[in-house]
Amino acid sequence: MKQEFGASVASRSWGDRLACKWNFVIPGLPELVEIHVGRLGQTGEQTAIASSLIERTRCIAIGDLQFRVPSFSDRLMISTLQRMYRHFYFRLCDIIDSSLLVESGDIDYDDLHAAATRAGIWEGVATYLSIVSDYVCRYRGVPLEIPRWVMASAQFSGKEVYFAKDFLRVPILPQSAMLYGSQLAGIIRRRQLHSGARLSLLPWLATAALVGQKITGSDKGIW
C-alpha cells in the first residue's frame, strides 16, 4: 500500500487490532481504505468466511479491466456482518445492491445457507434479506422473490427498522442482541473457542466505546 499507492497507515483502535484490520490514508481519496487480514467480523471472529473468500471469487470485466469479486453468497454475508453485526444501520446503496443480487436470480440459497451456517450468521443473513425485501415492498408494492424457507429463519422484519440521523437504523435491543447471542452460541457449539473468546469481548468493547463517547465526545481509539 505504501509503495504502490503512497498510502500511510491510520492509527489503529482497540477494535481494529482485535479484528486484525488496518486503515490506510491514500492521497486523493476522501475515505480510508480498510483491509482485513485473515479474519472478518467486528472482533475478527470470522475465520470460516475469510478462509474461503478468495477461492470462491469470480472474475468480472469492466471495460478493459478484469476484477475478482466475491461470490454472491459471500457478498451477502459480508453485507450482513457490516449491517447486522457491526454498524446496525442500512444505507440506501445496501438496499439497492442486495435487491439487485436477489433479482438477478443467480443466488444459490443452498450454498448461502451452508456457508452462513458454518459462520454462525444464518439467522442474521435471513433477517438482512427480510429487511431488504420489506423496504423494497414498501416503495415498490411487491417484495423480493426469496424462498419461504429462507424468510422463515429471519428473527425480525423491516417493520423494526427506523430512520434516524440519515440512516435506516437496526434496533440493538433486543433484536440485534439476539443475533449476537445466536452467533456466539453457534461458535461455541462448533468448539471454535478462540473465535468465541474474541466474540465474547464485543460487549466490553461496546461498553468502553460508549463510556468514551460520554466522557470525551468520541469513541475514537476504541471502536
Side-chain angles (χ1 to χ4, degrees):
M1 293 297 291
K2 291 180 178 179
Q3 293 176 356
E4 297 295 330
F5 301 102
S8 59
V9 180
S11 59
R12 300 177 73 201
S13 65
W14 297 353
D16 291 338
R17 296 176 187 277
L18 189 61
C20 293
K21 67 180 180 181
W22 278 258
N23 290 293
F24 293 89
V25 180
I26 298 181
L29 288 183
E31 301 292 340
L32 299 176
V33 173
E34 183 177 287
I35 296 180
H36 292 248
V37 181
R39 291 178 175 275
L40 291 172
Q42 175 60 21
T43 62
E45 76 280 358
Q46 287 296 342
T47 56
I49 300 175
S51 63
S52 62
L53 189 67
I54 300 301
E55 65 187 44
R56 286 162 55 88
T57 57
R58 57 193 180 89
C59 190
I60 65 169
I62 301 179
D64 296 329
L65 301 177
Q66 300 284 328
F67 298 91
R68 298 206 68 83
V69 299
S71 68
F72 282 19
S73 294
D74 289 341
R75 286 173 64 181
L76 287 172
M77 288 192 293
I78 291 171
S79 293
T80 297
L81 286 173
Q82 289 180 319
R83 300 298 138 208
M84 307 301 295
Y85 295 93
R86 169 64 174 95
H87 295 298
F88 307 112
Y89 66 76
F90 279 68
R91 304 164 299 183
L92 185 58
C93 63
D94 299 314
I95 303 291
I96 295 173
D97 289 346
S98 296
S99 63
L100 289 175
L101 286 183
V102 172
E103 293 186 325
S104 71
D106 292 328
I107 298 176
D108 183 339
Y109 287 101
D110 290 329
D111 173 73
L112 177 60
H113 176 258
T117 299
R118 285 195 301 270
I121 60 170
W122 169 242
E123 290 83 1
V125 170
T127 305
Y128 175 90
L129 289 172
S130 176
I131 291 173
V132 170
S133 180
D134 286 349
Y135 192 85
V136 170
C137 183
R138 175 185 294 183
Y139 291 97
R140 192 177 65 181
V142 180
L144 297 174
E145 293 187 6
I146 300 173
R148 290 184 179 179
W149 64 268
V150 174
M151 302 297 278
S153 296
Q155 300 300 292
F156 56 94
S157 68
K159 294 179 180 179
E160 281 73 31
V161 175
Y162 61 97
F163 181 79
K165 297 181 179 179
D166 298 327
F167 292 103
L168 297 170
R169 301 286 174 175
V170 178
I172 296 178
L173 293 173
Q175 288 86 348
S176 294
M178 291 190 299
L179 293 178
Y180 165 78
S182 177
Q183 182 189 17
L184 180 59
I187 287 176
I188 293 175
R189 280 197 303 271
R190 292 189 297 278
R191 299 184 180 181
Q192 298 172 351
L193 300 183
H194 189 66
S195 294
R198 284 175 172 270
L199 190 58
S200 66
L201 294 174
L202 182 58
W204 302 102
L205 187 64
T207 300
L210 181 61
V211 171
Q213 180 75 33
K214 293 291 186 181
I215 295 175
T216 67
S218 173
D219 59 7
K220 197 170 182 61
I222 300 173
W223 197 248

